[in-house]
Amino acid sequence: MAPTLRIASGLLAAATAVSGASWIPSFMTKDVVIIGGGAGGGYAAVRLKEDFHKDIVVVEKASKLGGHVSTYTDPASGKSFDYGVQNFNNYGPAAAFFQRLGVSTGPAPPRIPLATQYADFTTGAQVNWTAPDAAARSAALATFLNVTAPWEDLFIPGWTNFPQPNQIPADLLLPFRDFVTKHNLHAIVNQVFQVTGSGAGNMMDALTLYVLSAFGQPMIKTFLGQLGALYTASGRNIEVYEKIGQRLGNAVLYNSVVTSSIRTSLFHTIFVKNQVTGKTTVIFTKKLLIAIQPTPANTEPLNLDVYEQSVLSKFNWQTVHAGLVSHPSLPINGSVVNMPAAAAPDNYLVLPTVDYNIRFDYFGQNLFRVLMVGDKNFSKAKAQQLIRNTVSKLIQAGTLPASTAQVQFPAWADHGPMHMHVTKQELQNGFIQKLNSLQGRRDTWWTGGAFSHQFQALIWAFNDLLLPQLVAA
Ligand SMILES: Cc1cc2nc3c(=O)[nH]c(=O)nc-3n(C[C@H](O)[C@H](O)[C@H](O)COP(=O)(O)OP(=O)(O)OC[C@H]3O[C@@H](n4cnc5c(N)ncnc54)[C@H](O)[C@@H]3O)c2cc1C
């Protein structure tokens, strides 16, 4: 820590202690301030603290760590339901990290066999759509693996090895629809969409690069049985982040956001406000690790310079919600899948377009999981209204039995901006190189989904590449 920084913070801390006034901010000095305690920030915090012996603090907006991990415990039965993150790819450091945290793994929880029916959620009408048979799906999946294999190292676990603009493989810049047609992958489109590819939004129009970011080699290998997945034995995925929270102790400022910052070449001054108590903490630090989605709203207090703004402003994104809903018309042991009428009887290139709910899946008790993807303005209010409207339409069209009951929302997670992406033109203008050039610039590093991919274990593996650079700088 720079001597000036140490003296300044010492004086301020002494002033606080002497006055004892609660409205006076707290002051602290840290080696690294980490903003966001989800997959990127939570993992980085453990490694920086325990492996690199850095004095760190995590600024986390929520009252818990873990970001997209959403574990709902039913108050009546005490039973837990993971309606956010389902499992962790057994990729890179994931298994060792579970072991280190003392999180026991177990078999995949038994799946309730669901009777699937297809309906167009824009009208509620049933759609007679025939899924490709298992042999066709397996064959297409194997082709998908072969075709994409040469590109795995180009962007997994992060974009570090991404080729120069004039060397980007042309297939990666094709709309996914054209890529599917070119390689005859029709039989796996629905599977890609239903599992994680929906994060790409209007998936058939998205660049293949970004569909692979949402459903890439690790997922293909998982479905081909070549890569395992880790499940918590407790059946509560939040356990991973509870254990991280226990290890970090008071190195996490919960319910807290950065309100403003001064970033200089000597040190950064980060002003943090606890949204529950109103208390301000001023943190002096040499290094900053930003582990939140780099949207304008999130980065506004981070005193971005013109270059940082010019790079990050190119990002667009989807907004994602997941929830557990109840309604007596929804079928116990059933799955009602959103399928546009134009997909009947077997057009595999037609998918729902944003804003949408992918499906209602029976999850146990009287709970149905919904997974929703929308544009930048897809608020929680809009998402829940879409669920109400869809249930009404399904009833009016006779797809679901009649009921005047209201939809209940026992658990809901607004996952906010996800799947950051740019246009083909920006990629050809060197966007990824510019994104990579932010690492270490202004003593600031960036992690999380926008700099890696939307999978826990991939982000952890990306951190393993990034953190030594942060420490060495
Ligand atoms: C419904 C759903 C299911 C998923 N299922 C899986 C799965 O089964 N397996 C898998 O590997 N991945 C899954 N993912 C994806 C995975 O969880 C994400 O890729 C990963 O969490 C992204 O990590 P991150 O660090 O970028 O963001 P996050 O994990 O979201 O972490 C960001 C953190 O920053 C906090 N934060 C946000 N804004 C601020 C702010 N202004 N100030 C301070 N803190 C802030 C948030 O509260 C959060 O804790 C799923 C995602 C969703 C939405």
Side-chain angles (χ1 to χ4, degrees):
M1 175 117 351
T4 27
L5 177 49
R6 220 174 10 237
I7 292 164
S9 71
L11 288 173
L12 289 164
T16 313
V18 168
S19 80
S22 61
W23 52 267
I24 291 184
S26 300
F27 295 89
M28 52 175 77
T29 58
K30 293 290 165 186
D31 296 325
V32 187
V33 172
I34 302 166
I35 303 175
Y43 180 89
V46 171
R47 289 225 53 207
L48 285 170
K49 181 171 185 253
E50 297 183 358
D51 299 340
F52 296 104
H53 310 293
K54 295 296 168 193
D55 188 9
I56 57 114
V57 67
V58 178
V59 180
E60 168 53 55
K61 183 168 77 170
S63 57
K64 64 166 184 69
L65 298 177
H68 301 307
V69 179
S70 310
T71 305
Y72 168 71
T73 303
D74 177 61
S77 65
K79 192 170 164 17
S80 292
F81 300 89
D82 276 306
Y83 67 100
V85 168
Q86 301 291 292
N87 57 45
F88 301 76
N89 296 114
N90 191 357
Y91 174 90
F97 191 53
F98 267 58
Q99 208 168 16
R100 168 187 202 155
L101 295 176
V103 175
S104 303
T105 55
R111 287 235 171 245
I112 305 167
L114 301 182
T116 301
Q117 55 181 315
Y118 301 97
D120 186 328
F121 285 8
T122 63
T123 62
Q126 290 221 26
V127 175
N128 290 322
W129 183 81
T130 308
D133 64 42
R137 283 204 310 269
S138 299
L141 206 51
T143 307
F144 198 19
L145 183 73
N146 288 338
V147 172
T148 56
W151 308 322
E152 182 173 6
D153 294 339
L154 301 187
F155 52 94
I156 290 180
W159 304 98
T160 327
N161 298 326
F162 198 70
Q164 292 300 313
N166 59 357
Q167 289 165 353
I168 303 172
D171 273 9
L172 294 179
L173 301 180
L174 288 177
F176 193 57
R177 178 182 290 100
D178 297 348
F179 179 80
V180 166
T181 305
K182 178 176 174 184
H183 297 287
N184 194 20
L185 299 172
H186 302 68
I188 41 96
V189 166
N190 189 55
Q191 189 174 355
V192 170
F193 180 74
Q194 294 294 333
V195 178
T196 48
S198 55
N202 292 337
M203 193 181 91
M204 301 314 285
D205 299 327
L207 297 181
T208 298
L209 176 65
Y210 288 118
V211 178
L212 291 179
S213 178
F215 186 111
Q217 287 270 312
M219 287 308 280
I220 303 172
K221 287 180 184 168
T222 301
F223 279 93
L224 285 170
Q226 298 175 15
L227 183 72
L230 301 173
Y231 295 85
T232 53
S234 62
R236 296 177 64 255
N237 289 336
I238 197 65
E239 183 192 352
V240 172
Y241 288 91
E242 288 171 349
K243 292 261 166 72
I244 291 176
Q246 285 159 16
R247 291 173 95 99
L248 297 177
N250 61 8
V252 185
L253 300 177
Y254 291 99
N255 302 309
S256 297
V257 293
V258 176
T259 52
S260 62
S261 55
I262 304 165
R263 291 164 60 210
T264 72
S265 56
L266 284 178
F267 59 89
H268 306 304
T269 309
I270 312 295
F271 297 85
V272 173
K273 185 167 183 181
N274 183 307
Q275 295 178 301
V276 175
T277 64
K279 176 93 184 161
T280 295
T281 304
V282 184
I283 315 171
F284 303 99
T285 183
K286 183 76 182 109
K287 295 176 183 177
L288 197 55
L289 177 61
I290 301 177
I292 55 180
Q293 302 295 320
T295 60
N298 274 345
T299 54
E300 197 273 330
L302 299 178
N303 187 18
L304 299 190
D305 68 10
V306 173
Y307 181 70
E308 289 168 328
Q309 280 180 38
S310 75
V311 176
L312 298 174
S313 64
K314 300 292 189 299
F315 269 132
N316 201 342
W317 61 87
Q318 272 73 246
T319 308
V320 177
H321 296 265
L324 292 175
V325 308
S326 297
H327 190 276
S329 297
L330 290 167
I332 300 293
N333 294 329
S335 175
V336 188
V337 176
N338 189 358
M339 185 64 71
D346 57 3
N347 184 342
Y348 302 139
L349 297 181
V350 179
L351 291 173
T353 51
V354 294
D355 308 334
Y356 54 75
N357 171 32
I358 299 167
R359 59 187 186 269
F360 295 90
D361 264 354
Y362 181 61
F363 231 50
Q365 299 188 172
N366 60 345
L367 301 170
F368 294 80
R369 183 186 191 228
V370 295
L371 186 54
M372 309 187 72
V373 181
D375 66 12
K376 281 178 170 181
N377 304 312
F378 193 44
S379 63
K380 174 181 171 183
K382 273 191 185 175
Q384 293 195 338
Q385 192 54 44
L386 186 56
I387 292 295
R388 290 187 197 96
N389 293 347
T390 307
V391 170
S392 297
K393 285 177 185 171
L394 290 165
I395 290 172
Q396 276 163 21
T399 301
L400 295 184
S403 162
T404 53
Q406 301 290 310
V407 179
Q408 303 296 316
F409 297 92
W412 195 266
D414 175 350
H415 293 284
M418 287 187 74
H419 299 274
M420 313 289 287
H421 57 276
V422 300
T423 61
K424 173 180 172 178
Q425 193 181 3
E426 288 300 339
L427 290 165
Q428 290 173 326
N429 286 343
F431 175 79
I432 301 289
Q433 286 71 26
K434 291 175 199 162
L435 192 68
N436 290 338
S437 75
L438 296 181
Q439 300 292 6
R441 203 174 160 276
R442 301 183 74 201
D443 292 318
T444 300
W445 285 262
W446 305 77
T447 186
F451 292 81
S452 172
H453 301 279
Q454 292 295 347
F455 294 97
Q456 301 269 325
L458 267 65
I459 294 170
W460 296 348
F462 173 69
N463 275 348
D464 284 350
L465 301 177
L466 184 72
L467 298 180
Q469 297 169 32
L470 179 154
V471 170

